[in-house]
mmCIF file of all heavy atoms in Angstrom:
data_model
loop_
_atom_site.group_PDB
_atom_site.id
_atom_site.type_symbol
_atom_site.label_atom_id
_atom_site.label_comp_id
_atom_site.label_asym_id
_atom_site.label_seq_id
_atom_site.Cartn_x
_atom_site.Cartn_y
_atom_site.Cartn_z
ATOM 1 N N LEU A 77 0.830 -1.199 0.068
ATOM 2 C CA LEU A 77 -0.024 -0.004 0.008
ATOM 3 C C LEU A 77 0.904 1.247 -0.022
ATOM 4 O O LEU A 77 2.029 1.213 0.479
ATOM 5 C CB LEU A 77 -0.845 -0.059 1.231
ATOM 6 C CG LEU A 77 -1.990 -1.266 1.323
ATOM 7 C CD1 LEU A 77 -2.626 -1.055 2.589
ATOM 8 C CD2 LEU A 77 -2.768 -1.259 0.242
ATOM 9 N N ARG A 78 0.275 2.384 -0.458
ATOM 10 C CA ARG A 78 1.061 3.647 -0.523
ATOM 11 C C ARG A 78 1.091 4.180 0.849
ATOM 12 O O ARG A 78 0.426 3.794 1.851
ATOM 13 C CB ARG A 78 0.094 4.628 -1.307
ATOM 14 C CG ARG A 78 0.619 4.843 -2.771
ATOM 15 C CD ARG A 78 0.030 5.969 -3.521
ATOM 16 N NE ARG A 78 -0.760 5.294 -4.442
ATOM 17 C CZ ARG A 78 -2.015 5.641 -4.883
ATOM 18 N NH1 ARG A 78 -2.586 6.580 -4.093
ATOM 19 N NH2 ARG A 78 -2.616 4.987 -5.792
ATOM 20 N N GLY A 79 2.025 5.088 1.156
ATOM 21 C CA GLY A 79 2.275 5.588 2.451
ATOM 22 C C GLY A 79 3.719 5.480 2.890
ATOM 23 O O GLY A 79 4.588 4.767 2.321
ATOM 24 N N GLU A 80 3.974 6.114 3.992
ATOM 25 C CA GLU A 80 5.458 6.107 4.550
ATOM 26 C C GLU A 80 5.628 4.785 5.268
ATOM 27 O O GLU A 80 6.859 4.361 5.294
ATOM 28 C CB GLU A 80 5.633 7.312 5.502
ATOM 29 C CG GLU A 80 5.499 8.575 4.693
ATOM 30 C CD GLU A 80 5.647 9.860 5.662
ATOM 31 O OE1 GLU A 80 6.290 9.674 6.808
ATOM 32 O OE2 GLU A 80 5.220 10.980 5.361
ATOM 33 N N THR A 81 4.724 4.175 5.869
ATOM 34 C CA THR A 81 4.973 2.960 6.599
ATOM 35 C C THR A 81 4.878 1.785 5.713
ATOM 36 O O THR A 81 4.411 1.777 4.709
ATOM 37 C CB THR A 81 3.870 2.783 7.689
ATOM 38 O OG1 THR A 81 2.588 2.752 7.113
ATOM 39 C CG2 THR A 81 3.756 3.921 8.795
ATOM 40 N N ASP A 82 5.605 0.739 6.127
ATOM 41 C CA ASP A 82 5.669 -0.496 5.311
ATOM 42 C C ASP A 82 4.496 -1.324 5.610
ATOM 43 O O ASP A 82 4.408 -2.018 6.596
ATOM 44 C CB ASP A 82 6.836 -1.108 5.796
ATOM 45 C CG ASP A 82 7.323 -2.235 4.802
ATOM 46 O OD1 ASP A 82 6.864 -2.255 3.677
ATOM 47 O OD2 ASP A 82 8.013 -3.270 5.265
ATOM 48 N N SER A 83 3.263 -1.016 4.792
ATOM 49 C CA SER A 83 2.088 -1.653 5.088
ATOM 50 C C SER A 83 1.626 -2.421 3.843
ATOM 51 O O SER A 83 2.148 -2.191 2.743
ATOM 52 C CB SER A 83 1.149 -0.719 5.538
ATOM 53 O OG SER A 83 0.871 0.243 4.538
ATOM 54 N N GLY A 84 0.776 -3.352 4.156
ATOM 55 C CA GLY A 84 0.151 -4.076 2.938
ATOM 56 C C GLY A 84 -1.201 -4.714 3.313
ATOM 57 O O GLY A 84 -1.539 -4.707 4.550
ATOM 58 N N ALA A 85 -1.883 -5.291 2.324
ATOM 59 C CA ALA A 85 -3.060 -6.032 2.541
ATOM 60 C C ALA A 85 -3.070 -7.322 1.862
ATOM 61 O O ALA A 85 -2.436 -7.435 0.979
ATOM 62 C CB ALA A 85 -4.249 -5.187 2.077
ATOM 63 N N SER A 86 -3.684 -8.276 2.486
ATOM 64 C CA SER A 86 -3.519 -9.714 1.878
ATOM 65 C C SER A 86 -4.406 -9.620 0.659
ATOM 66 O O SER A 86 -5.335 -8.947 0.514
ATOM 67 C CB SER A 86 -4.004 -10.694 2.929
ATOM 68 O OG SER A 86 -5.530 -10.560 3.036
ATOM 69 N N ARG A 87 -3.922 -10.491 -0.296
ATOM 70 C CA ARG A 87 -4.697 -10.551 -1.581
ATOM 71 C C ARG A 87 -6.103 -10.986 -1.406
ATOM 72 O O ARG A 87 -6.934 -10.507 -2.151
ATOM 73 C CB ARG A 87 -3.966 -11.677 -2.414
ATOM 74 C CG ARG A 87 -2.747 -11.079 -3.174
ATOM 75 C CD ARG A 87 -2.363 -12.191 -4.281
ATOM 76 N NE ARG A 87 -2.641 -11.840 -5.557
ATOM 77 C CZ ARG A 87 -2.429 -10.826 -6.224
ATOM 78 N NH1 ARG A 87 -1.840 -9.744 -5.682
ATOM 79 N NH2 ARG A 87 -2.584 -10.764 -7.504
ATOM 80 N N ARG A 88 -6.377 -11.899 -0.471
ATOM 81 C CA ARG A 88 -7.692 -12.292 -0.227
ATOM 82 C C ARG A 88 -8.637 -11.253 0.280
ATOM 83 O O ARG A 88 -9.718 -10.938 -0.222
ATOM 84 C CB ARG A 88 -7.716 -13.311 0.894
ATOM 85 C CG ARG A 88 -8.974 -14.012 1.220
ATOM 86 C CD ARG A 88 -9.041 -15.025 2.196
ATOM 87 N NE ARG A 88 -9.370 -16.316 1.524
ATOM 88 C CZ ARG A 88 -9.174 -17.407 2.165
ATOM 89 N NH1 ARG A 88 -8.713 -17.656 3.291
ATOM 90 N NH2 ARG A 88 -9.471 -18.520 1.501
ATOM 91 N N SER A 89 -8.083 -10.461 1.189
ATOM 92 C CA SER A 89 -9.053 -9.317 1.711
ATOM 93 C C SER A 89 -9.177 -8.075 0.677
ATOM 94 O O SER A 89 -10.187 -7.490 0.666
ATOM 95 C CB SER A 89 -8.417 -8.785 3.007
ATOM 96 O OG SER A 89 -7.151 -8.224 2.840
ATOM 97 N N TYR A 90 -8.121 -7.893 -0.019
ATOM 98 C CA TYR A 90 -8.100 -6.987 -1.119
ATOM 99 C C TYR A 90 -9.218 -7.345 -2.148
ATOM 100 O O TYR A 90 -9.850 -6.596 -2.523
ATOM 101 C CB TYR A 90 -6.709 -6.943 -1.800
ATOM 102 C CG TYR A 90 -6.367 -5.989 -2.798
ATOM 103 C CD1 TYR A 90 -6.450 -4.594 -2.661
ATOM 104 C CD2 TYR A 90 -6.056 -6.399 -4.092
ATOM 105 C CE1 TYR A 90 -6.095 -3.678 -3.559
ATOM 106 C CE2 TYR A 90 -5.750 -5.420 -5.048
ATOM 107 C CZ TYR A 90 -5.808 -4.118 -4.779
ATOM 108 O OH TYR A 90 -5.517 -3.202 -5.776
ATOM 109 N N ARG A 91 -9.220 -8.588 -2.626
ATOM 110 C CA ARG A 91 -10.043 -8.906 -3.598
ATOM 111 C C ARG A 91 -11.635 -9.023 -3.027
ATOM 112 O O ARG A 91 -12.541 -8.584 -3.625
ATOM 113 C CB ARG A 91 -9.868 -10.451 -4.081
ATOM 114 C CG ARG A 91 -10.755 -10.923 -5.198
ATOM 115 C CD ARG A 91 -10.432 -12.331 -5.594
ATOM 116 N NE ARG A 91 -10.366 -13.271 -4.600
ATOM 117 C CZ ARG A 91 -9.334 -14.040 -4.253
ATOM 118 N NH1 ARG A 91 -8.201 -13.925 -4.975
ATOM 119 N NH2 ARG A 91 -9.317 -14.838 -3.330
ATOM 120 N N SER A 92 -11.793 -9.441 -1.731
ATOM 121 C CA SER A 92 -13.063 -9.516 -1.060
ATOM 122 C C SER A 92 -13.587 -8.004 -0.907
ATOM 123 O O SER A 92 -14.853 -7.851 -1.100
ATOM 124 C CB SER A 92 -13.241 -10.293 0.148
ATOM 125 O OG SER A 92 -12.306 -9.713 1.138
ATOM 126 N N THR A 93 -12.789 -7.149 -0.553
ATOM 127 C CA THR A 93 -13.190 -5.743 -0.381
ATOM 128 C C THR A 93 -13.681 -5.082 -1.770
ATOM 129 O O THR A 93 -14.669 -4.452 -1.802
ATOM 130 C CB THR A 93 -12.097 -4.889 0.166
ATOM 131 O OG1 THR A 93 -11.655 -5.434 1.390
ATOM 132 C CG2 THR A 93 -12.437 -3.410 0.392
ATOM 133 N N LEU A 94 -12.894 -5.385 -2.756
ATOM 134 C CA LEU A 94 -13.308 -4.810 -4.090
ATOM 135 C C LEU A 94 -14.608 -5.626 -4.569
ATOM 136 O O LEU A 94 -15.469 -4.947 -5.143
ATOM 137 C CB LEU A 94 -12.127 -5.056 -5.108
ATOM 138 C CG LEU A 94 -10.955 -4.269 -4.792
ATOM 139 C CD1 LEU A 94 -9.876 -4.595 -5.971
ATOM 140 C CD2 LEU A 94 -11.190 -2.840 -4.658
ATOM 141 N N ARG A 95 -14.703 -6.872 -4.265
ATOM 142 C CA ARG A 95 -15.955 -7.643 -4.741
ATOM 143 C C ARG A 95 -17.168 -7.040 -3.910
ATOM 144 O O ARG A 95 -18.262 -6.979 -4.534
ATOM 145 C CB ARG A 95 -15.876 -8.974 -4.437
ATOM 146 C CG ARG A 95 -17.035 -9.888 -4.838
ATOM 147 C CD ARG A 95 -17.008 -11.465 -4.622
ATOM 148 N NE ARG A 95 -16.262 -11.704 -3.336
ATOM 149 C CZ ARG A 95 -15.099 -12.513 -3.291
ATOM 150 N NH1 ARG A 95 -14.534 -12.949 -4.372
ATOM 151 N NH2 ARG A 95 -14.756 -12.759 -2.083
ATOM 152 N N ALA A 96 -16.947 -6.620 -2.576
ATOM 153 C CA ALA A 96 -18.139 -6.114 -1.992
ATOM 154 C C ALA A 96 -18.400 -4.743 -2.565
ATOM 155 O O ALA A 96 -19.658 -4.434 -2.490
ATOM 156 C CB ALA A 96 -17.707 -5.937 -0.441
ATOM 157 N N ALA A 97 -17.533 -3.939 -2.992
ATOM 158 C CA ALA A 97 -17.806 -2.703 -3.551
ATOM 159 C C ALA A 97 -18.571 -2.883 -4.862
ATOM 160 O O ALA A 97 -19.627 -2.086 -5.116
ATOM 161 C CB ALA A 97 -16.534 -1.904 -3.841
ATOM 162 N N ALA A 98 -18.259 -3.869 -5.603
ATOM 163 C CA ALA A 98 -18.986 -4.129 -6.855
ATOM 164 C C ALA A 98 -20.290 -4.607 -6.586
ATOM 165 O O ALA A 98 -21.366 -4.340 -7.293
ATOM 166 C CB ALA A 98 -18.214 -5.205 -7.597
ATOM 167 N N SER A 99 -20.480 -5.492 -5.519
ATOM 168 C CA SER A 99 -21.744 -6.188 -5.154
ATOM 169 C C SER A 99 -22.752 -4.977 -4.579
ATOM 170 O O SER A 99 -24.014 -5.201 -4.608
ATOM 171 C CB SER A 99 -21.652 -7.167 -4.205
ATOM 172 O OG SER A 99 -20.891 -8.233 -4.755
ATOM 173 N N ASP A 100 -22.224 -3.958 -4.101
ATOM 174 C CA ASP A 100 -23.045 -2.893 -3.419
ATOM 175 C C ASP A 100 -23.798 -2.035 -4.405
ATOM 176 O O ASP A 100 -24.640 -1.283 -4.195
ATOM 177 C CB ASP A 100 -22.306 -2.014 -2.450
ATOM 178 C CG ASP A 100 -21.933 -2.723 -1.201
ATOM 179 O OD1 ASP A 100 -22.577 -3.765 -0.890
ATOM 180 O OD2 ASP A 100 -21.024 -2.359 -0.367
ATOM 181 N N VAL A 101 -23.503 -2.116 -5.679
ATOM 182 C CA VAL A 101 -24.072 -1.239 -6.718
ATOM 183 C C VAL A 101 -25.416 -1.812 -7.024
ATOM 184 O O VAL A 101 -25.692 -2.939 -6.980
ATOM 185 C CB VAL A 101 -23.239 -1.359 -8.072
ATOM 186 C CG1 VAL A 101 -23.862 -0.655 -9.192
ATOM 187 C CG2 VAL A 101 -21.813 -0.715 -7.846
ATOM 188 N N ASP A 102 -26.275 -0.850 -7.099
ATOM 189 C CA ASP A 102 -27.751 -1.192 -7.326
ATOM 190 C C ASP A 102 -27.971 -1.967 -8.673
ATOM 191 O O ASP A 102 -27.522 -1.521 -9.717
ATOM 192 C CB ASP A 102 -28.607 0.170 -7.384
ATOM 193 C CG ASP A 102 -30.119 -0.138 -7.433
ATOM 194 O OD1 ASP A 102 -30.524 -1.233 -6.656
ATOM 195 O OD2 ASP A 102 -30.792 0.403 -8.039
ATOM 196 N N GLY A 103 -28.536 -3.112 -8.550
ATOM 197 C CA GLY A 103 -28.867 -3.895 -9.723
ATOM 198 C C GLY A 103 -27.950 -5.099 -9.844
ATOM 199 O O GLY A 103 -28.177 -6.078 -10.638
ATOM 200 N N VAL A 104 -26.859 -5.213 -9.103
ATOM 201 C CA VAL A 104 -25.895 -6.217 -9.229
ATOM 202 C C VAL A 104 -26.378 -7.357 -8.256
ATOM 203 O O VAL A 104 -26.523 -7.215 -7.053
ATOM 204 C CB VAL A 104 -24.449 -5.776 -8.761
ATOM 205 C CG1 VAL A 104 -23.518 -6.960 -8.649
ATOM 206 C CG2 VAL A 104 -23.944 -4.804 -9.844
ATOM 207 N N THR A 105 -26.511 -8.640 -8.761
ATOM 208 C CA THR A 105 -27.052 -9.707 -7.956
ATOM 209 C C THR A 105 -25.746 -10.501 -7.503
ATOM 210 O O THR A 105 -25.768 -11.185 -6.471
ATOM 211 C CB THR A 105 -27.968 -10.629 -8.740
ATOM 212 O OG1 THR A 105 -27.325 -11.023 -9.982
ATOM 213 C CG2 THR A 105 -29.207 -9.878 -8.962
#
């Protein structure tokens, strides 16, 4: 991830967060 600290996100949580964002759109089943 961007920033001064050495940080990151697991691939699994990264993908599930993006999938949740896509699923929250009105009309997506």
Side-chain angles (χ1 to χ4, degrees):
L77 301 178
R78 267 187 242 133
E80 294 179 24
T81 60
D82 192 22
S83 61
S86 72
R87 276 189 105 52
R88 175 182 254 171
S89 65
Y90 184 64
R91 184 178 56 238
S92 64
T93 300
L94 295 178
R95 182 177 43 238
S99 297
D100 287 344
V101 174
D102 186 37
V104 173
T105 57

